[in-house]
Amino acid sequence: MPKDTSIKSVLIIGSGPIVIGQACEFDYAGSQSARSIREEGIEVILINSNPATIMTDPSMADHVYLKPLTTKSIIEILKAHPNIDAVLPTMGGQTALNLCLEAEEKGIWADFNVRLIGVDINAINITEDREQFKQLLERIEIPAAPAKTANSFLKGKEIAQEFGFPLVIRPSFTLGGTGAAFVHHKEDFDELLTRGLEASPIHEVLIDKALLGWKEYELELLRDQNDNVVIICSIENMDPMGIHTGDSITVAPAMTLSDKTFQRMRDMAIKMMRSIGNFAGGCNVQFAVSPDEKEDIVAIEINPRVSRSSALASKATGYPIAKIASKLALGYHLDELQNQITKSTSALFEPTLDYVIVKIPRWNFDKFEGADRTLGLQMKSVGEVMGIGRSFQEALHKATQSLEIKRNGLGADGKGYKNYEQIIDKLTHASWDRVFVIYDAIQMGIPLSRIHEITKIDMWFLKQYEELYSLEKEISTFKIDNLPKELLLEAKQKGFADRQIAHMMGCLESQVYNLREEMGVKRVYKLVDTCAAEFEAKTPYYYSTFEAEIEKADGTRYVHNESIVSDKKKVVVLGSGPNRIGQGIEFDYSCVHGVLAASECGYETIMINCNPETVSTDFDTADKLYFEPVFWEHIYDIIRHEKPEGVIVQLGGQTALKLAEKLDRYGIKILGTSFDALDLAEDRGRFSELLSELGIPFPKFGVAENADQASQLADTLDFPLLVRPSYVLGGQGMKIVINKQELEEHVIDLLKNIPGNKLLLDHYLDGAIEAEADAICDGENVYIIGIMEHIEPCGVHSGDSNATLPPFNLGEFVMQQIKDHTKKIALALKTVGLINIQFAIKDDTVYIIEANPRASRTVPFIAKAYGEPYVNYATKVMLGHNKVTDFTFNPQLKGYAIKQPVFSFNKFPGVNKKLGPEMKSTGESILFIDDLKDDQFYELYSRRKMYLSR
């Protein structure tokens, strides 16, 4: 059956601000969905309150509404667009599903004659209401863990008495495992039951017998209205049951499942999907499998929407789940749609993988002082990375190299744990760095049987680790001048980085690189093609690996490289790696716009990134996608292979910026602002000298390398002082101190975590107003795209501040100083592209806090508020294709736009919620108001000092 021709206009609901448990995977899904539906000539109206995403870009839909995700907003949109026929709620995570349910209960969809597509209300209710789901599994004879529902404290106590401990408490209708908990001991039960009942919007929890140590699997499915079902991907959690799947290391395809059990699991998943309502779209099913030879299967949950796992499955297989799910929601059948990568096979073909995927979550515990760092049923990670390799070992190494936590991979970097008690403790209480600790345990000689007994991680994975350590030991017996080629090739095939191999032999990374060159051990690039190379793929989506040479009949030797280099002029855009606090989805927005702008200028665009949740790693965003770690060795090899005109670093946040020095040293052209100017802005001493020459005021400061120097500086600078390490992201380690004791404690603490770092001490301008400006500069002309004033006083990190565009109470005299300073600094730094400058205003004097010659968090916000494609313009300036004066700027904003930070403190009970110079927000929303009399502005302004801390 072809598409439903009665659908002319669709409303897509987004997922709102990024919180832990619901991140940019829904921006990716929503963006794909909007494009997929518009391809069919259908109008798309979109609601989402998140200004940092590609999804809310004006180019994505016919009408974009940056409004709060409430039924009030839904009614306003439906009144403005009476032609909306259908609503698609499956692309916006739990937020969109819950909003859709609320609108259904209030009769809104019926009032406006709008129907649901992609899911039905019954499916949402059955899968979200734990009791209904349990009854469904009984009805269709699918095994489930013994469980009962409680909607009161008393009922919960009765169930606990019946089942005994350990137990699991899971609230209904929540996101990312919010409120879920293990209860090992009777004395903890009351508090955790109360928390679970409070977390559920309908005050209901499911209490089930804990399946501790069971293995966890997920299947990603798609189903059409003809009841065709395809399984896109099987995913195995390396971590056993008990750790939220968003916090687990996951592997695709499943590695340790027997074929017989996999077929049983498939049949169960298909049966479950067909039984939850008559709808067409995507679905994620989770199972537990007993770790014995019986391999009993128990169903855990089913989500009738795209999810974090479906973003991962899409990137893992190259099969665009959200895109196809949207077409199915419009009535198409799978056999009528084309596989997007081969362009010749049907979407009804299930993908086949001839490589392995490893996903590792990225945590930010250092932002939540006092947080419980052990992993459990409640998700705590803020992002994730994915590695693609020809083996599990290679993919695992690439994923660990992508994390950006100053590790070069597993082991062989001198940073492992050496203390037996500490290692056992980290294995026992699943820690965020357990992926590294397993290696440390093997290195220490702890037997695999003991590691398995503690962690319940399958023996197959542990043996893979053991093989890696055996190889490290063997290589360590050689020196750089006698290492056999076979060993070097094996180490590279197993994912070891050059600098790890150098560590093993006590030599330099460059020596290992040169040896590889001499021996011809070179990276080759392979296609992610959905069909294990059985059909030709048209899509240039690559990963790297190493292969032994093949000898032809005529005696010539070669390795097979699937990435063919064209003779077009090329540009590389470096992505921002995993999401984390301080560097989020706003840089993905900038990268995507940078790629599109470079394409408009006639360049072949090459994207390098390792974040599976983003639009920048979609297979059809850039002309070529290299899904690789944003890690020097990988980037350098791609650049040598592709020979681009240059590299754009200022769109990928601090991640890309940190690589500028190496690019410069290796003679690779940085497009836009030069490395020297980037370094000048980061180096506090040089930058302050520049400000002095320009006659621009800045707070008094000094640089210290130890506690003694800091104490001497304090005598000349006067308290309060702002203390911070140099070259950090999101204000990490920044603190305001008010006396010498606090200063000494903080300095010692910082230098323990970041040895050898220079610390900057600034006189803190107490009670100052903070403001920031973003501008585009071409080296001669400067255009200020926006000036924002923070509602909170100076001292709260700019990412945690509510900020208004334009400013609401800065006089003409102050505004003129901001404009003058911005232009002077942009020109003095020889900026070519974007720059963000932050100011503190005290007694009508404007002081400079810092300048960042790169895309900032606020650029997407200003672009959305004014309706202007600023990143597009800035990229064309970086490429030397245009001058600032070539563009006609026409910002449109009635009233004010307010950037409102969103926090995820509810994931960390007991953590200090006070705000200071270190950023803690995970996302943001945009609020438009007509004037300053608006109640919401008044409330924000009245609370501005409430959370300020030192």
Side-chain angles (χ1 to χ4, degrees):
M1 184 186 92
K3 76 171 186 199
D4 184 338
T5 51
S6 68
I7 300 174
K8 302 276 191 293
S9 179
V10 172
L11 171 66
I12 297 178
I13 304 175
S15 60
I18 286 176
V19 289
I20 290 177
Q22 188 169 276
C24 50
E25 64 273 7
F26 297 109
D27 173 46
Y28 162 66
S31 302
Q32 267 208 351
S33 175
R35 284 162 58 194
S36 182
I37 293 172
R38 286 176 90 189
E39 278 173 3
E40 300 299 325
I42 294 170
E43 179 185 50
V44 169
I45 289 108
L46 197 138
I47 175 173
N48 196 2
S49 56
N50 189 338
T53 69
I54 282 287
M55 185 186 180
T56 53
D57 196 66
S59 63
M60 275 295 155
D62 297 284
H63 302 279
V64 175
Y65 285 93
L66 281 153
K67 282 180 172 289
L69 291 166
T70 60
T71 51
K72 181 175 172 239
S73 300
I74 297 281
I75 291 167
E76 283 172 27
I77 292 169
L78 294 175
K79 279 181 178 167
H81 298 275
N83 55 330
I84 292 176
D85 305 300
V87 57
L88 183 65
T90 52
M91 301 294 155
Q94 199 66 41
T95 299
L97 283 188
N98 287 355
L99 179 58
C100 180
L101 273 182
E102 192 188 333
E104 172 74 14
E105 282 162 15
K106 290 178 177 174
I108 295 168
W109 305 130
D111 290 350
F112 288 90
N113 197 22
V114 171
R115 60 191 163 111
L116 245 73
I117 56 171
V119 71
D120 66 9
I121 290 291
N122 278 348
I124 303 175
N125 279 323
I126 285 172
T127 55
E128 293 292 339
D129 186 319
R130 301 284 182 185
E131 182 58 31
Q132 282 194 51
F133 180 57
K134 197 165 74 68
Q135 288 167 1
L136 168 81
L137 292 180
E138 279 167 22
R139 208 164 51 245
I140 61 173
E141 297 176 340
I142 299 269
K148 287 194 172 175
T149 310
N151 42 28
S152 72
F153 186 75
L154 204 62
K155 181 72 180 147
K157 296 280 278 186
E158 281 173 27
I159 297 166
Q161 202 169 327
E162 182 189 335
F163 283 175
F165 297 94
L167 292 170
V168 178
I169 296 173
R170 302 176 200 274
S172 294
F173 289 91
T174 63
L175 170 82
T178 299
F182 265 114
V183 191
H184 293 279
H185 310 292
K186 190 178 173 182
E187 47 274 21
D188 301 332
F189 182 71
D190 291 11
E191 185 196 335
L192 295 168
L193 173 63
T194 307
R195 193 188 297 166
L197 288 166
E198 282 172 359
S200 167
I202 59 169
H203 307 299
E204 174 191 277
V205 296
L206 184 77
I207 298 175
D208 56 3
K209 197 86 179 119
L211 298 169
L212 286 176
W214 283 45
K215 288 151 72 167
E216 190 167 2
Y217 295 90
E218 294 177 69
L219 295 181
E220 285 297 325
L221 296 84
L222 275 174
R223 169 201 192 192
D224 66 21
Q225 286 177 349
N226 210 17
D227 233 3
N228 291 312
V229 178
V230 283
I231 296 193
I232 305 302
C233 193
S234 64
I235 300 172
E236 175 167 358
N237 289 11
M238 191 173 103
D239 298 288
M241 286 286 293
I243 296 177
H244 188 283
T245 175
D247 275 357
S248 295
I249 293 159
T250 62
V251 188
M255 291 279 143
T256 70
L257 202 54
S258 69
D259 186 55
K260 212 166 90 185
T261 309
F262 177 53
Q263 298 305 330
R264 271 170 45 219
M265 192 182 280
R266 279 179 66 103
D267 294 345
M268 283 184 186
I270 292 169
K271 193 175 184 183
M272 285 163 72
M273 192 173 184
R274 284 176 172 162
S275 67
I276 59 171
N278 184 29
F279 72 94
C283 204
N284 164 267
V285 192
Q286 289 172 27
F287 294 100
V289 173
S290 66
D292 53 23
E293 61 284 350
K294 287 198 299 212
E295 291 195 311
D296 291 327
I297 306 177
V298 164
I300 300 170
E301 67 180 7
I302 181 166
N303 291 307
R305 57 172 171 82
V306 299
S307 61
R308 173 177 304 95
S309 308
S310 56
L312 181 75
S314 294
K315 301 295 166 70
T317 59
Y319 189 110
I321 293 173
K323 204 173 201 176
I324 301 292
S326 302
K327 300 256 197 246
L328 301 180
L330 297 174
Y332 279 108
H333 291 164
L334 280 160
D335 52 351
E336 295 170 323
L337 297 171
Q338 221 183 29
N339 176 312
Q340 304 280 312
I341 276 195
T342 61
K343 305 280 191 199
S344 59
T345 57
S346 156
L348 192 53
F349 277 32
E350 292 189 352
T352 313
L353 276 60
D354 55 356
Y355 47 83
V356 181
I357 296 290
V358 173
K359 174 215 86 180
I360 303 182
R362 174 71 160 76
W363 291 272
N364 244 147
F365 287 119
D366 46 359
K367 296 285 181 187
F368 301 101
E369 232 174 289
D372 172 11
R373 293 180 179 221
T374 51
L375 308 179
L377 293 170
Q378 190 160 301
M379 186 172 159
K380 294 175 180 177
S381 61
V382 291
E384 61 193 29
V385 296
M386 181 177 103
I388 312 179
R390 274 284 155 107
S391 64
F392 167 72
Q393 293 165 330
E394 185 180 23
L396 179 68
H397 258 133
K398 281 167 94 172
T400 51
Q401 285 154 9
S402 301
L403 284 168
E404 290 179 51
I405 53 169
K406 298 189 170 70
R407 296 297 299 258
N408 299 325
L410 292 174
D413 63 359
K415 291 181 180 171
Y417 290 100
K418 304 275 191 290
N419 179 304
Y420 176 80
E421 274 76 29
Q422 198 176 13
I423 289 173
I424 295 291
D425 183 66
K426 279 183 166 289
L427 293 177
T428 310
H429 305 106
S431 60
W432 68 273
D433 54 357
R434 187 159 76 166
V435 62
F436 297 99
V437 176
I438 294 166
Y439 197 91
D440 301 338
I442 292 170
Q443 198 164 7
M444 182 168 268
I446 298 171
L448 293 196
S449 54
R450 175 86 173 113
I451 300 171
H452 170 70
E453 181 194 321
I454 298 171
T455 63
K456 300 289 186 280
I457 290 171
D458 193 279
M459 215 48 173
W460 184 85
F461 292 114
L462 299 179
K463 284 186 171 142
Q464 296 286 306
Y465 267 89
E466 189 178 49
E467 272 182 27
L468 288 174
Y469 178 56
S470 301
L471 182 60
E472 180 187 336
K473 272 198 313 197
E474 192 177 351
I475 290 173
S476 300
T477 63
F478 290 92
K479 284 279 171 256
I480 188 76
D481 48 13
N482 65 356
L483 180 70
K485 180 178 175 178
E486 304 75 63
L487 264 190
L488 178 61
L489 177 63
E490 188 186 349
K492 294 312 288 180
Q493 285 180 322
K494 291 188 170 177
F496 279 110
D498 288 352
R499 56 180 80 157
Q500 286 177 291
I501 298 168
H503 181 86
M504 295 172 202
M505 298 190 294
C507 64
L508 297 171
E509 179 184 0
S510 54
Q511 290 176 280
V512 176
Y513 186 83
N514 294 337
L515 181 67
R516 280 207 291 119
E517 287 288 293
E518 272 168 45
M519 291 182 168
V521 178
K522 292 184 183 176
R523 257 187 186 83
V524 290
Y525 297 96
K526 299 291 179 186
L527 274 167
V528 172
D529 59 10
T530 77
C531 55
E534 283 195 35
F535 298 92
E536 191 187 344
K538 299 278 190 287
T539 305
Y541 170 10
Y542 302 100
Y543 67 95
S544 73
T545 188
F546 288 84
E547 285 187 349
E549 290 173 326
I550 302 162
E551 190 167 321
K552 288 186 185 173
D554 64 3
T556 55
R557 301 169 74 84
Y558 78 105
V559 282
H560 182 50
N561 196 336
E562 293 176 6
S563 170
I564 310 299
V565 178
S566 75
D567 52 8
K568 294 181 194 151
K569 57 176 187 170
K570 308 174 191 65
V571 61
V572 166
V573 177
L574 289 186
S576 58
N579 270 23
R580 68 214 85 152
I581 292 175
Q583 186 170 289
I585 193 173
E586 62 280 355
F587 295 108
D588 183 56
Y589 167 92
S590 296
C591 285
V592 173
H593 272 288
V595 163
L596 299 177
S599 189
E600 285 169 27
C601 295
Y603 287 88
E604 180 180 327
T605 54
I606 296 164
M607 184 75 219
I608 306 175
N609 204 1
C610 54
N611 184 340
E613 303 177 287
T614 62
V615 180
S616 65
T617 53
D618 203 352
F619 67 79
D620 57 0
T621 294
D623 293 318
K624 269 182 155 178
L625 165 67
Y626 284 94
F627 205 109
E628 291 284 283
V630 188
F631 184 83
W632 172 250
E633 180 183 320
H634 295 272
I635 290 160
Y636 187 51
D637 278 348
I638 294 167
I639 289 169
R640 290 197 59 186
H641 176 62
E642 289 285 353
K643 301 181 180 56
E645 305 286 308
V647 179
I648 293 179
V649 296
Q650 51 176 287
L651 300 177
Q654 205 70 21
T655 295
L657 218 55
K658 276 188 201 153
L659 290 158
E661 183 197 1
K662 258 196 150 159
L663 290 166
D664 186 64
R665 197 166 1 121
Y666 280 77
I668 296 158
K669 189 177 180 194
I670 294 170
L671 296 166
T673 310
S674 70
F675 165 68
D676 188 57
L678 299 173
D679 187 61
L680 173 54
E682 282 280 2
D683 183 325
R684 227 18 228 289
R686 287 178 71 197
F687 185 54
S688 302
E689 281 166 24
L690 177 74
L691 292 177
S692 300
E693 282 167 29
L694 296 171
I696 296 174
F698 53 91
K700 286 190 297 178
F701 85 101
V703 180
E705 292 183 18
N706 55 45
D708 258 356
Q709 288 176 13
S711 181
Q712 285 164 14
L713 265 176
D715 296 334
T716 57
L717 291 175
D718 301 329
F719 289 100
L721 290 174
L722 175 63
V723 183
R724 54 181 163 172
S726 50
Y727 281 97
V728 295
L729 178 77
Q732 190 176 333
M734 276 198 204
K735 199 169 187 181
I736 298 165
V737 295
I738 58 166
N739 57 41
K740 284 205 171 180
Q741 187 190 340
E742 281 190 1
L743 174 66
E744 188 177 297
E745 281 170 10
H746 188 53
V747 167
I748 289 166
D749 190 43
L750 275 179
L751 292 173
K752 187 176 75 190
N753 293 328
I754 322 174
N757 198 302
K758 286 183 179 162
L759 303 180
L760 309 169
L761 276 65
D762 293 72
H763 174 64
Y764 168 59
L765 296 166
D766 203 8
I769 294 169
E770 195 165 337
E772 59 187 302
D774 283 282
I776 303 174
C777 177
D778 58 20
E780 295 162 15
N781 311 285
V782 180
Y783 176 78
I784 297 173
I785 64 174
I787 296 172
M788 297 169 70
E789 179 183 355
H790 297 185
I791 292 175
E792 284 79 5
C794 192
V796 172
H797 189 281
S798 61
D800 286 354
S801 301
N802 287 279
T804 62
L805 180 78
F808 58 94
N809 73 346
L810 299 181
E812 198 46 49
F813 176 58
V814 165
M815 286 294 281
Q816 196 54 51
Q817 285 179 70
I818 289 175
K819 288 172 189 169
D820 293 346
H821 292 348
T822 302
K823 287 181 178 172
K824 272 185 182 173
I825 292 169
L827 292 171
L829 284 173
K830 303 184 180 66
T831 307
V832 180
L834 289 157
I835 185 165
N836 168 270
I837 303 177
Q838 293 177 24
F839 309 95
I841 299 136
K842 192 166 185 180
D843 305 328
D844 273 358
T845 300
V846 177
Y847 297 87
I848 303 296
I849 302 175
E850 63 180 324
N852 291 304
R854 59 168 168 85
S856 70
R857 180 177 304 98
T858 45
V859 168
F861 174 86
I862 297 169
K864 302 289 171 63
Y866 283 148
E868 294 261 79
Y870 293 125
V871 179
N872 180 295
Y873 295 165
T875 305
K876 288 173 178 171
V877 165
M878 286 177 224
L879 294 169
H881 190 270
N882 291 90
K883 288 285 189 193
V884 167
T885 45
D886 295 341
F887 303 108
T888 308
F889 294 100
N890 183 24
Q892 303 288 316
L893 174 63
K894 186 168 74 72
Y896 296 85
I898 302 178
K899 176 180 76 72
Q900 296 185 285
V902 174
F903 301 88
S904 295
F905 288 129
N906 60 340
K907 296 285 176 186
F908 304 102
V911 160
N912 179 350
K913 294 180 177 57
K914 288 198 164 70
L915 304 180
E918 183 158 347
M919 185 174 162
K920 293 178 178 175
S921 61
T922 52
E924 61 200 38
S925 62
I926 191 168
L927 171 71
F928 291 99
I929 58 171
D930 291 334
D931 55 50
L932 300 175
K933 297 187 185 79
D934 191 286
D935 288 348
Q936 284 166 288
F937 174 78
Y938 193 78
E939 191 195 336
L940 286 173
Y941 193 70
S942 64
R943 290 200 329 227
R944 69 191 185 280
K945 291 187 178 175
M946 198 161 99
Y947 289 120
L948 181 63
S949 80
R950 290 186 281 106

